[in-house]
Every structure is written in structure tokens, then in C-alpha cells.
Amino acid sequence: MHFQVTPEPLDPLRAAALVRRDEAGAVVLFLGVVRDRNLGRRVLYLEYDAYPEMAEQVMRQLAEEAMRRWPVSDVAVLHRTGRLEVGETSLVVAVSSPHRAEAFAAAHWLVDRLKERVPIWKKEVFEGGEEWIEGELPTPG
């Protein structure tokens, strides 16, 4: 398992390589990317702040739980901090598993739990203001 909270740009191919195993027929890679619009506002950039040691500890706990729930071979979670421009990658989650269904399920679950529980905070700077954004699950639809 691999976890990193860093101000440096994230490398998704490195994350995929970190979890690649011979027994794993599937590697699922999720990228969280800064989008240009949110809540009807034009986003200029995001700022992420974190408690890195605690964030990495929670990431590990969640990865261990995912590995208990699904037959996952390995997990990598990387998150950026600092100022991120539109189009930059803020989160990389890589999951390997013998089969794709379990890899997708584990990655989906991990992304949702990471947003809920990891001590990383996001400030959205938009035209006309700025606001700290709470992590929340998307509504089905």
C-alpha cells in the first residue's frame, strides 16, 4: 500500500505501477481533477490544506478496510495540497485486483470514503469570492 500527501504534481502512471501485481488482472485508476465550474460559479483555482501524517494514517485505515471487503491486491492513494489550477489532478486512487468488478467496487468505495474521512480541506476560489468546501457524497441521479 502506498499513500502520499504532497504539494508536488501527481503522477497517475506511477500510482498504477505501484499497485501492479502479476496476480492482478485489473488496475483501476481514478483521477480527481479541478473543474472550471461548481454550483453555477466559474472556479478560478482550488487550495488544499491537510494534516499529512493524519491524512496518510486515515488513508491506510480505509485501504485496509477495502482490502478486507474485496479481494484487492494493492492500493495507492495520492493527494495534492496547495494551489491547484483548473485541469490539475488533486487525487489519484489506484486499485489492483484479480478481477475488474472488485477493483472498480473498491476504488469507488475508497474515493467516497476518502472525501468523507480524510483530514484534507478544500477552498474554492471563484469569480466574486472564495469558500471552504465540505466533502460530501454525490446525490444519485
Side-chain angles (χ1 to χ4, degrees), residues 107-120:
H108 185 189
W109 182 87
L110 266 171
V111 171
D112 286 349
R113 298 300 86 70
L114 289 163
K115 288 177 144 290
E116 289 175 343
R117 298 193 26 213
V118 177
I120 296 176

Side-chain angles (χ1 to χ4, degrees), residues 50-102:
Y51 179 3
E53 295 82 10
M54 179 69 76
E56 290 175 8
Q57 179 181 348
V58 174
M59 289 172 176
R60 176 174 296 283
Q61 292 167 352
L62 292 171
E64 289 170 350
E65 185 172 345
M67 292 178 93
R68 285 191 298 272
R69 289 173 172 246
W70 294 276
V72 169
S73 300
D74 207 351
V75 172
V77 179
L78 315 174
H79 205 297
R80 282 275 306 269
T81 56
R83 180 177 169 145
L84 279 78
E85 304 298 328
V86 169
E88 289 191 281
T89 301
S90 60
L91 172 65
V92 175
V93 174
V95 176
S96 63
S97 180
H99 303 284
R100 69 181 178 272
E102 291 85 358

